[in-house]
Each structure stands twice: as structure tokens, then as C-alpha cells.
């Protein structure tokens, strides 16, 4: 089923959009595809479609190039009972696929095609977002970390994983370049108060989550200060960032130091 929404004016009037604006990267695995959609939507919990009778489905965005009109169209897709459903959400005009996925998710929310899946009865978490974060929380080897490390490895960079830059400082960085003295931290949007995706809890236990986030941000600041004082460069990457773009920034720092 396909439904038409009001199109936004496109930027590709006189030329065909480049592949990077809509095509997914070759060889990308299922976990990477999920992470890409999660980043663009602002979290796994924000990809929910209410299919009725108390049931919910996880949606994704499909981008399609129409050669005749030189336009990229976005469609919201999900499955119900083994059948794929689809809704047209509009045209997108970003220069990269990640930009266009973000535009499409925003449009889907504006069209009220998505919903926040309710928290199961009896759950201690104050919101679906909090529950998703707690369920997915791991001390290392999260999907964003793995994708970043793969992107760094493809650039020929070698590093230590989950190591302390300073043995005497009880702070573990996600990726450490010892010779270049560069420490990389991949920060979760919920736990570290991402300005783009963090949404303060407004229900039960909201004070707890606010204090926890503030404590984490304070700890981040003291960690940065301690490492800078010891001559280290600190790079902080939000979990929603494109891993290739983040790896490129890190590589420039490493290469500028001849490492």
C-alpha cells in the first residue's frame, strides 16, 4: 500500500543525484543496516509503527532514485503478518544517504506515521527509550564501536580496544592510539546527553535519569581535562554519527602526527 504525502522541493533539478545520496554501502551487513536506521531515526525505539490491537512493528526507511525526474523519494516500510506495508513520506534532498534518512524519519513523524511504543506493564524504566537503552547497554563492543573500529581498520590504522590511556587514571577509552596519544570515546546519546537526540524523561524516575546523565557529563569533562593535561588528545564520537565520517576525522589527527 502506498500513500502520497506533500513533497518537499528537491535540489536535483538539472542533474542526477549521486549514489552516495541514496545508495547503501556495498557489503554492509544486517547489524550495520539496523544501526544506520537507528542513528537516523534517533534511536531504535523511534522506529515503531502501531499496527493495531496492541501490536507494534519496527519500520525502516527505503530511499529510491527516480531517474526520469531525478528525484529521491523516501518510503516507510514495515511488516505485518509476513506482508510488507509501505507509505510514501516525501522527497529528500540531502547530499548524503545519512542526511536523507534523517529527513525521511522526521517527515514520517510529522505525518504521524510513527509512535512511541509503550513500556510493558511492570517495567521499572520510565519510558520506552530508557528501557531500550538499559537493554542495549554494554560496557564494550557495542554496534557503534564495532562499526567505528572497522572503519578505522579499513584506513590502515591499528589501535588498542577498551584500554586506559593513563594507567593511574580509572578511565577506559573505547579506542586508544598509544603512540599518537589519542583517546577515542564513543558516547551513547541517552547516557551522555546528546544535544541532538537526548530527551529528558518526563515520567516516573525522571530525577534519577537526569542525575545519571549529569553525573556522566561531569565525568566526561574531568576525563577530558585529565587527559589533556597529560598531553593526550581526546576525541568524542556520538553513537548516532556516521562511522566512516568519524573515522575520517580521527585518521586526520593520527596522520597529522605522522603515526
Amino acid at each position: 500500500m502506498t500513500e502520497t504525502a506533500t513533497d518537499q522541493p528537491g535540489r536535483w533539478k538539472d542533474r542526477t543525484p549521486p549514489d552516495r545520496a541514496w545508495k547503501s554501502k556495498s557489503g554492509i551487513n544486517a547489524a550495520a543496516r539496523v544501526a544506520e536506521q537507528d542513528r537516523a531515526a534517533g534511536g531504535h525505539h523511534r522506529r515503531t509503527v502501531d499496527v493495531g490491537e496492541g501490536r507494534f512493528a519496527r519500520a525502516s526507511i527505503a530511499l529510491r532514485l527516480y531517474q526520469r525526474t531525478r528525484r529521491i523519494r523516501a518510503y516507510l516500510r514495515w511488516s505485518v503478518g509476513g506482508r510488507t506495508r509501505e507509505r510514501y513520506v516525501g522527497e529528500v534532498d540531502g547530499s548524503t544517504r545519512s542526511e536523507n534518512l534523517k529527513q525521511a524519519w522526521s517527515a514520517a513523524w510529522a505525518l504521524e506515521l510513527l509512535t512511541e511504543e509503550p513500556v510493558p506493564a511492570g517495567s521499572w524504566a520510565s519510558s520506552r527509550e530508557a528501557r531500550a537503552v538499559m537493554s542495549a547497554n554494554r560496557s564494550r563492543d557495542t554496534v557503534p564501536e564495532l562499526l567505528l573500529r572497522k572503519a578505522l581498520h579499513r584506513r590502515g590504522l591499528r589501535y588498542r580496544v577498551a584500554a586506559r590511556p593513563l594507567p593511574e587514571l580509572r578511565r577506559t577509552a573505547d579506542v586508544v592510539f598509544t603512540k599518537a596519544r589519542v583517546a577515542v570515546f564513543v558516547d551513547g546519546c541517552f547516557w551522555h546527553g546528546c544535544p541532538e537526540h537526548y530527551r529528558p524523561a518526563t515520567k516516573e524516575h525522571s530525577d534519577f535519569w537526569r542525575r545519571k546523565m549529569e553525573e556522566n557529563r561531569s565525568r566526561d569533562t574531568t576525563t577530558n581535562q585529565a587527559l589533556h593535561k597529560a598531553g593526550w588528545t581526546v576525541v568524542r564520537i556520538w553513537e548516532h554519527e556516521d562511522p566512516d565520517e568519524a573515522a575520517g576525522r580521527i585518521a586526520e589527527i593520527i596522520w597529522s602526527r605522522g603515526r
Side-chain angles (χ1 to χ4, degrees):
M1 52 188 273
T2 302
E3 221 172 78
T4 302
T6 302
D7 290 341
Q8 298 176 356
R11 61 185 291 186
W12 313 106
K13 295 182 179 180
D14 304 316
R15 57 194 175 96
T16 301
D19 286 352
R20 69 175 184 277
W22 65 280
K23 272 190 176 182
S24 60
K25 297 172 184 176
S26 60
I28 187 171
N29 59 29
R33 291 182 188 278
V34 170
E36 177 187 51
Q37 294 284 343
D38 287 350
R39 285 195 301 272
H44 197 65
H45 64 289
R46 289 181 59 80
R47 294 171 48 198
T48 306
V49 175
D50 186 344
V51 298
E53 300 180 353
R55 296 178 301 159
F56 300 89
R58 200 71 63 191
S60 62
I61 290 291
L63 300 178
R64 297 174 189 159
L65 172 64
Y66 286 77
Q67 295 283 355
R68 185 177 62 82
T69 59
R70 294 187 291 275
R71 294 289 189 272
I72 300 173
R73 290 187 170 189
Y75 296 82
L76 187 73
R77 293 168 58 86
W78 68 96
S79 178
V80 180
R83 297 182 60 185
T84 299
R85 304 296 181 87
E86 183 175 279
R87 302 285 282 272
Y88 173 53
V89 299
E91 291 186 356
V92 291
D93 59 3
S95 59
T96 66
R97 175 177 167 84
S98 61
E99 290 176 9
N100 286 327
L101 287 175
K102 288 181 181 180
Q103 284 186 28
W105 281 111
S106 295
W109 273 99
L111 291 169
E112 299 183 349
L113 300 177
L114 299 163
T115 185
E116 290 277 0
E117 186 177 348
V119 178
S123 174
W124 185 83
S126 60
S127 67
R128 174 63 63 173
E129 178 181 26
R131 186 171 186 270
V133 170
M134 287 189 292
S135 298
N137 186 43
R138 302 170 64 180
S139 60
R140 58 174 291 179
D141 295 337
T142 63
V143 171
E145 289 175 28
L146 293 174
L147 293 176
L148 176 64
R149 278 152 43 185
K150 288 181 180 179
L152 291 169
H153 198 275
R154 286 196 297 270
R155 287 169 168 76
L157 298 175
R158 301 298 178 262
Y159 43 78
R160 296 180 64 196
V161 175
R164 290 185 183 181
L166 300 175
E168 67 277 13
L169 181 66
R170 296 184 60 184
R171 298 291 192 277
T172 300
D174 297 306
V175 177
V176 175
F177 297 88
T178 306
K179 291 184 179 180
R181 299 174 72 82
V182 174
V184 180
F185 297 84
V186 181
D187 293 334
C189 293
F190 184 86
W191 290 116
H192 296 263
C194 166
E196 185 172 345
H197 294 130
Y198 176 74
R199 298 293 183 273
T202 58
K203 300 179 182 179
E204 189 178 2
H205 308 302
S206 60
D207 288 341
F208 168 82
W209 292 115
R210 177 181 53 78
R211 289 196 302 271
K212 182 63 177 175
M213 187 273 291
E214 290 175 351
E215 289 171 1
N216 287 341
R217 296 184 71 173
S218 177
R219 181 182 174 89
D220 292 344
T221 298
T222 58
T223 298
N224 294 349
Q225 292 172 344
L227 290 176
H228 288 155
K229 186 176 181 180
W232 283 73
T233 295
V234 176
V235 180
R236 290 196 173 270
I237 306 297
W238 289 113
E239 67 173 333
H240 70 260
E241 292 189 57
D242 182 276
D244 282 328
E245 293 178 3
R249 298 204 312 271
I250 296 168
E252 288 182 3
I253 296 173
I254 303 300
W255 292 333
S256 70
R257 300 184 177 190
R259 304 297 184 184

